[in-house]
């Protein structure tokens, strides 16, 4: 059976046979991401579930990009919780201050996300890695905690919409223009 790109990527990360959209499969994760807003919630859940260590210190990324620099004591405490957890766990990819940047730009620049990867992140913009050929999705902090502990998660195989664009692009038209037109056409709800 021919597969979509999402199905092919997920198939490479699961022992289940992907047969259809809507199927739930257990996938091995390439990377688990949290930031200074969502990380402390995931860390609390991680400890609350009794986990003692992350599945792979090199495949967890904690990026302090929302509160850099910290504006008050509460935001400084958020970063402190993440920093302490990164030290306790020996997490390789902890970024804050001068070593930081926008998480969804920083991680591909550092070679941590690439084509064919499966990434979960406690951030709604995690799906932007699809633009570089990865399967990526945002999840809640509890799911991120489980991903940090186990290195795998359940994923529901998504449906795919095929779009054919015909004609010749004018000189000043670019891919972004086509995407904005597509969003206008199908709406922001994802063509429900």
């Amino acid at each position: 059976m021919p597969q979509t790109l999402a199905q092919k990527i997920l198939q490479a990360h699961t022992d289940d046979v992907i047969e259809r959209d809507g199927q739930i499969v257990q996938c091995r994760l390439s990377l688990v991401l949290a930031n200074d807003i969502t990380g402390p919630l995931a860390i609390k859940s991680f400890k609350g579930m009794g986990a003692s260590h992350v599945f792979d210190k090199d495949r967890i990324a904690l990026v302090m990009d929302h509160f850099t620099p910290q504006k008050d004591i509460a935001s400084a405490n958020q970063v402190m919780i993440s920093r302490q957890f990164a030290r306790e766990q020996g997490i390789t990819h902890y970024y804050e201050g001068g070593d930081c940047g926008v998480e969804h730009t920083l991680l591909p620049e550092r070679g941590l996300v690439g084509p064919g990867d499966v990434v979960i992140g406690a951030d709604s913009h995690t799906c932007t890695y699809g633009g570089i050929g990865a399967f990526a999705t945002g999840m809640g902090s509890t799911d991120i905690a489980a991903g940090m502990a186990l290195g795998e998660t359940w994923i529901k195989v998504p449906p795919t919409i095929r779009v054919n664009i015909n004609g010749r692009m004018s000189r000043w038209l670019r891919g972004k223009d086509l995407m904005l037109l597509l969003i206008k056409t199908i709406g922001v709800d994802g063509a429900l």
Side-chain angles (χ1 to χ4, degrees):
M1 163 180 116
Q3 292 183 316
T4 66
L5 178 59
Q7 290 170 338
K8 288 177 183 179
I9 294 169
L10 294 176
Q11 188 65 74
H13 291 263
T14 186
D15 295 328
D16 301 331
V17 176
I18 295 179
E19 298 173 342
R20 67 188 186 294
D21 294 347
Q23 180 181 350
I24 296 176
V25 294
Q26 187 77 14
C27 289
R28 294 174 294 279
L29 299 170
S30 306
L31 188 73
V32 179
L33 161 69
N35 58 45
D36 40 1
I37 294 175
T38 61
L41 296 169
I43 292 163
K44 181 179 179 183
S45 293
F46 180 90
K47 292 177 178 179
M49 69 177 63
S52 60
H53 61 279
V54 296
F55 80 102
D56 185 336
K57 66 181 182 62
D58 298 323
R59 297 193 316 178
I60 308 291
L62 296 173
V63 183
M64 307 298 105
D65 68 345
H66 289 72
F67 295 140
T68 299
Q70 294 85 46
K71 63 181 181 152
D72 54 25
I73 292 172
S75 58
N77 284 333
Q78 292 281 101
V79 172
M80 182 184 67
I81 290 166
S82 300
R83 184 185 312 116
Q84 287 174 340
F85 182 75
R87 284 183 185 150
E88 290 167 8
Q89 296 293 321
I91 292 173
T92 308
H93 303 292
Y94 174 80
Y95 303 99
E96 79 168 278
D99 294 327
C100 202
V102 175
E103 60 193 309
H104 304 300
T105 304
L106 178 73
L107 300 182
E109 285 177 349
R110 297 281 175 128
L112 299 177
V113 179
D117 285 345
V118 173
V119 179
I120 62 170
D123 185 276
S124 61
H125 297 111
T126 303
C127 58
T128 59
Y129 301 133
I132 59 172
F135 182 92
T137 189
M139 291 188 169
S141 295
T142 304
D143 294 312
I144 296 305
M148 285 195 281
L150 303 172
E152 56 186 35
T153 195
W154 294 342
I155 294 179
K156 185 175 183 180
V157 178
T160 299
I161 299 170
R162 180 178 176 158
V163 175
N164 293 320
I165 299 174
N166 299 310
R168 187 177 184 99
M169 289 180 45
S170 67
R171 180 176 178 193
W172 302 109
L173 189 65
R174 296 290 181 254
K176 180 178 179 180
D177 300 307
L178 295 176
M179 292 302 100
L180 290 172
L181 177 61
L182 183 59
I183 291 168
K184 177 184 172 191
T185 304
I186 66 173
V188 295
D189 294 332
L192 299 176

